[in-house]
Amino acid sequence: MLPDLDPLLHTQLRLQIVTLLAGVEEGDFNWLLENTGATRGNLSVQINKLKAAEYIEVKKGYKDNYPHTSCVITTKGRAAFEAYVAAISKYIQHKNK
């Protein structure tokens, strides 16, 4: 039997966000915007969903007198991402049998 996929990560933009954050110490909003190609509104909504699930931590402050938002993947988020990747791998292995 194939494993269930985390529905929170099984959407393109949320998976992109978590994948990007898994590879860096911290990612700011504009960097995520540039690397996902999302709109500001959609990116904000998806970041809030990941934050509510405690998959990422959001830090708000100022940088050079401008608002600055940055995101960091949490331990829970990293574990969920790794479990998702493992589950997808099982799907791929099953397909190749």
Side-chain angles (χ1 to χ4, degrees):
M1 187 165 145
L2 293 172
D4 290 335
L5 298 175
D6 183 337
L8 192 64
L9 294 179
H10 200 61
T11 63
Q12 183 175 344
L13 184 51
R14 288 192 297 258
L15 183 58
Q16 284 179 317
I17 294 166
V18 172
T19 300
L20 288 165
L21 293 175
V24 296
E25 207 170 296
E26 180 175 295
D28 75 11
F29 186 86
N30 288 328
W31 178 77
L32 288 169
L33 194 63
E34 183 180 305
N35 282 282
T36 61
T39 63
R40 289 183 174 277
N42 195 11
L43 184 60
S44 290
V45 167
Q46 302 314 320
I47 284 173
N48 285 330
K49 288 182 181 188
L50 291 166
K51 179 184 172 189
E54 299 177 349
Y55 282 14
I56 64 171
E57 179 183 328
V58 178
K59 300 176 185 178
K60 293 188 178 267
Y62 288 89
K63 184 176 183 181
D64 300 326
N65 289 331
Y66 293 99
H68 184 257
T69 301
S70 61
C71 302
V72 176
I73 192 167
T74 62
T75 302
K76 181 178 179 180
R78 189 170 300 282
F81 175 67
E82 289 171 359
Y84 185 87
V85 170
I88 286 290
S89 295
K90 288 184 180 178
Y91 276 73
I92 292 167
Q93 290 169 1
H94 181 76
K95 177 187 169 262
N96 292 330
K97 287 184 179 180

